[in-house]
Amino acid sequence: MCGIVGYTGPKEAYPIIITGLKRLEYRGYDSTGVALLNSGLKVYKKKGRVADLEETLVGVNLHANTGIGHTRWATHGEPSDRNAHPHTSASGKLAMIHNGIIENYAQIKKELVNKGYTFTSDTDTEVLLNFIEDIRSNNNCDLEEAVRVALKRITGAYCILLIDEDDPETIIAARKGSPLVIGVGKGEHFLGSDASPMLEYTKEVVYVNDYELAIVKPNELILKN
């Protein structure tokens, strides 16, 4: 039962994400990681506990106002630093976290390998992320549309949070069969597997429905079917 946390707004994202991940530790996990957006995309992840990741980041400049974090329970690939989430796309522009299982990932991975893609992990998540990027680049569409097209192709359960280096205030999220809650603040939004990571910041929450796509910005929340 992996845990996800996201934030976009005026506050420092990293402390909110780390605290949120600690509140989701009850779900069980074997590795953890964060992706932060500020003057570029930075990803930090590690096998083990949230506290282990924190220890490795002491003294690191973690300033960012948008970010996502994850606690992973291994399904595809052994517990390891390289299989921990978030994963980055082949271009290095996108980062994604994912709860759930993509049942037809092997078929999609084969197609991507035939196109020249290589993979740094054993996860179905990295396959889905590169599939989204491939759709965007080959169809000259925006990231939202690429996510929508990709999710129509896959089978399985998912909750995904996706960030783009070129759009540093936006988190794109979607779910099917895996919970997602969005907290609404003043000029900020919080995302989580449940409401526990955001209750100290806001009591106004939105429960995302299956097959909904959420476009989350500091001052805007759009839900689309």
Side-chain angles (χ1 to χ4, degrees), residues 28 41-42 47 59 70 107 144 166-167 178 186 202 220:
L41 173 65
K42 301 291 178 62
K47 177 184 175 181
H70 191 264
Q107 177 186 348
E144 176 189 339
D166 294 331
D167 190 5
S178 188
K186 293 183 178 179
T202 180
E220 186 177 38

Side-chain angles (χ1 to χ4, degrees), residues 187-208:
E188 60 186 356
H189 285 97
F190 308 82
L191 302 94
S193 299
D194 62 32
S196 61
M198 59 196 75
L199 289 179
E200 71 181 85
Y201 304 104
T202 180
K203 298 298 188 289
E204 184 181 350
V205 297
V206 175
Y207 290 88
V208 180

